């Protein structure tokens, strides 16, 4: 069995693939430079809690890299659906926090728009809304 990198062939697949690439890039940022990624997200690691960096490198980068790379390497609609629903639940969690935790800030509004776009692209392709 030969392994070949599947290249997107339609506009919808290109958009879904773009969402996967952004996800992988975010995963690489958390994997290679977790302190920088935390600063970009306006999170601060306490000096006595350096194990929090492991959360960025392990848990956060792991899911981003795992799902994003699976989408890029396998190019299957159901995997794109998993990526889309992951971003959709990320946006839902942020919205819930904005409503119940008092986190209604401009940063969160911009983030939720980005997350919804990253969710919509692969979901639209997976459900056949984009050719």
């Amino acid at each position: 069995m030969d392994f070949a990198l599947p290249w997107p062939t339609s506009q919808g697949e290109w958009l879904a693939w773009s969402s996967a690439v952004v996800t992988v890039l975010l995963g690489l940022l958390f994997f290679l430079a977790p302190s920088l990624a935390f600063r970009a997200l306006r999170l601060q690691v306490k000096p006595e809690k350096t194990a929090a960096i492991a959360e960025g490198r392990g848990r956060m980068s792991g899911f981003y890299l795992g799902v994003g790379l699976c989408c890029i390497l396998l190019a299957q609609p159901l995997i794109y659906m998993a990526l889309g629903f992951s971003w959709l639940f990320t946006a839902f969690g942020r919205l819930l926090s904005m409503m119940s935790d008092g986190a209604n800030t401009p940063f969160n509004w911009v983030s939720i728009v980005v997350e919804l776009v990253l969710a919509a692209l692969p979901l639209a392709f997976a459900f056949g809304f984009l050719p």
Side-chain angles (χ1 to χ4, degrees):
M1 181 170 115
D2 292 332
F3 181 77
L5 182 65
W7 205 244
T9 57
S10 67
Q11 182 182 7
E13 192 173 3
W14 271 108
L15 293 173
W17 184 85
S18 299
S19 179
V21 168
V22 169
T23 304
V24 168
L25 292 175
L26 288 171
L28 285 173
L29 180 65
F30 274 108
F31 188 72
L32 300 173
S35 296
L36 178 65
F38 283 143
R39 266 185 276 150
L41 293 176
R42 300 178 180 190
L43 300 173
Q44 183 177 358
V45 177
K46 293 182 179 181
E48 66 273 9
K49 303 282 186 179
T50 55
I53 296 292
E55 290 300 311
R57 277 207 170 107
R59 188 177 315 229
M60 297 169 92
S61 74
F63 277 104
Y64 286 165
L65 287 171
V67 175
L69 286 173
C70 280
C71 287
I72 292 169
L73 294 175
L74 300 175
Q76 298 295 314
L78 288 176
I79 298 175
Y80 280 119
M81 191 182 299
L83 176 67
F85 277 120
S86 296
W87 279 114
L88 191 62
F89 278 105
T90 301
F92 178 69
R94 187 175 302 276
L95 180 64
L96 189 62
S97 182
M98 290 168 68
M99 292 187 316
S100 62
D101 301 332
N104 194 0
T105 64
F107 175 80
N108 278 334
W109 280 105
V110 170
S111 295
I112 202 168
V113 168
V114 169
E115 291 159 357
L116 287 173
V117 168
L118 290 173
L121 296 176
L123 287 175
F125 171 69
F127 287 118
F129 294 120
L130 294 173

